[in-house]
Amino acid sequence: MKVFRSGFTLIEVMIALAIFVLAAVVLGGAYLNVLTGYESANRASTSDQDVRFARAALLSETDPKVVVQGGDFTTENQHQVRWKAEIEPTETTDVFDVTFDCEVSGADLKKPEHVTQHFRLLRPTWAEDADRNKIRAKNTERINKLLKLIP
């Protein structure tokens, strides 16, 4: 009489269950990372839009006193945006070094987001005539010195 063994042993079932649990944990962690990434990207793109709008407000302003004072506004997604800038003249006429500071806060943000950007900007309306003339005279003098060095 032959006896046939059918089915799995307890050890085989436990190993299969452990492999299944391990795969479930890895897939669950990956899924949570994807959800967190989507949320972070969505929040960042919303804040980036707010900062771009504030920078556009700075770029459209013709009065340097208003730029230094800055401004604030509320966006459509109820974020409060405050911005201001520091303006420093350069050695080139009508070109300014600008330090742009922007803070975005809102109920959906855990903490206010602060962005600082540095760039150079050509703004003839920001220059005073006296400062413009000083820069031009200084550059003319520098060019004349260079021309004297050329034989």
Side-chain angles (χ1 to χ4, degrees), residues 2-66:
K2 288 187 176 182
V3 177
F4 292 102
R5 229 177 81 182
S6 63
F8 299 102
T9 64
L10 183 60
I11 291 176
E12 291 171 333
V13 170
M14 293 298 285
I15 290 173
L17 187 60
I19 292 171
F20 176 76
V21 167
L22 183 62
V25 167
V26 168
L27 290 175
Y31 180 69
L32 287 176
N33 283 340
V34 167
L35 289 179
T36 303
Y38 280 141
E39 179 186 340
S40 176
N42 187 30
R43 187 175 57 244
S45 67
T46 302
S47 296
D48 287 346
Q49 289 174 355
D50 297 340
V51 171
R52 280 196 302 268
F53 189 79
R55 191 174 48 238
L58 165 100
L59 294 174
S60 65
E61 188 57 54
T62 58
D63 186 4
K65 293 175 185 172
V66 174

Side-chain angles (χ1 to χ4, degrees), residues 21-107:
V21 167
L22 183 62
V25 167
V26 168
L27 290 175
Y31 180 69
L32 287 176
N33 283 340
V34 167
L35 289 179
T36 303
Y38 280 141
E39 179 186 340
S40 176
N42 187 30
R43 187 175 57 244
S45 67
T46 302
S47 296
D48 287 346
Q49 289 174 355
D50 297 340
V51 171
R52 280 196 302 268
F53 189 79
R55 191 174 48 238
L58 165 100
L59 294 174
S60 65
E61 188 57 54
T62 58
D63 186 4
K65 293 175 185 172
V66 174
V67 172
V68 171
Q69 290 174 354
D72 60 344
F73 57 89
T74 303
T75 64
E76 63 183 23
N77 53 3
Q78 301 306 311
H79 286 172
Q80 185 65 33
V81 180
R82 288 189 179 90
W83 65 271
K84 65 179 180 174
E86 293 178 16
I87 302 171
E88 294 293 326
T90 63
E91 292 183 4
T92 305
T93 307
D94 299 335
V95 176
F96 296 88
D97 279 325
V98 179
T99 302
F100 172 69
D101 289 313
C102 185
E103 183 178 292
V104 180
S105 59

